[in-house]
Amino acid sequence: MPKMPETIKSMENLLSMLDSLMREPAPFWNKFYGDRTKGVPFFADKPDENLVSFVEAGALQGGRMLELGCGPGRNAIYAALHGFDVKAVDLSEEAITWAKERAVEKNATVNFTLGSVFDLSPQSEYDLVYDAGCLHHLWPHRRIGYIEMIHHALKDGGYFGLTCFAPGFTEMGGAMEISDWDVYRDRSMHGGQAYSQEKLREIFGGYFELVEIRMMKECMENDPVFGVPFLWTSLWRKHSKG
Ligand SMILES: C[S@@+](CC[C@H](N)C(=O)[O-])C[C@H]1O[C@@H](n2cnc3c(N)ncnc32)[C@H](O)[C@@H]1O
């Protein structure tokens, strides 16, 4: 690979330099999805219980949806079968291949796209942006641009749905709350960064109005929906103009 220029002349140069301190995500996630039979809870082809409850309650009523870090596509496919026109993005080729296979099996039409969420620049196009477990794997220095991208992506009054690690459930498969600075001190996300409710309000509150935040409901293997007890689920709304 050609060596990157090492002079920091722009914010993008600075972000790339910080990226280079961390593990490259695509090889990790490709390996992670390489064995589909391992017992990872979210490998089950079931949508998030919170997404289903908002759709069933009529709070989310179709339209255009962008899913960020869609993995093998369980939420994107559910949404496509419930009235949404869905684009779903992930940087893992293994995940996108799997998601496409599932969509064919379920006769769902989803625009599954291989790529990084950092390279997206949609403008007021979406009624719903959804992130199930992607944000907590993103490096803090990329988060500002990520949130701004989501804000630009949404139409006025559009919704942003997020599930992410809540602190304090490491024994169940959750993650620790580590400070943004610790990520760089340790050069590691420690398997994912848990967010306190205060931190979520602090980072998203300037862009969105909070509709609901609660812990995800735990669901059993034979339930038709997915839920684990160590994640926050939250729904945010972009302020309408006027
Ligand atoms: C915990 S998994 C969740 C997958 C899926 N949302 C689900 O719940 O079934 C996190 C996903 O985020 C993806 N991801 C991480 N960083 C990304 C990036 N910069 N751009 C796109 N996808 C990313 C990973 O490849 C992985 O599929």
Side-chain angles (χ1 to χ4, degrees), residues 25-26 28-30 32-33 40-44 46 48 67-75 89-93 95 102 113-120 130-139 142 146 163 165 226 231:
F28 170 83
W29 286 106
N30 280 329
F32 185 83
Y33 291 116
V40 175
F42 71 82
F43 280 11
K46 302 195 279 190
D48 285 342
E67 189 180 3
L68 302 167
C70 62
R74 57 196 182 84
N75 288 309
V89 179
D90 202 286
L91 54 61
S92 160
E93 198 167 357
R102 279 180 166 173
T113 304
L114 179 63
S116 171
V117 295
F118 305 140
D119 296 331
L120 299 171
Y130 197 70
D131 171 333
C134 184
L135 170 87
H136 57 212
H137 293 295
L138 300 182
W139 306 308
R142 287 283 178 183
Y146 183 67
T163 70
F165 287 131
F226 169 85
L231 297 178

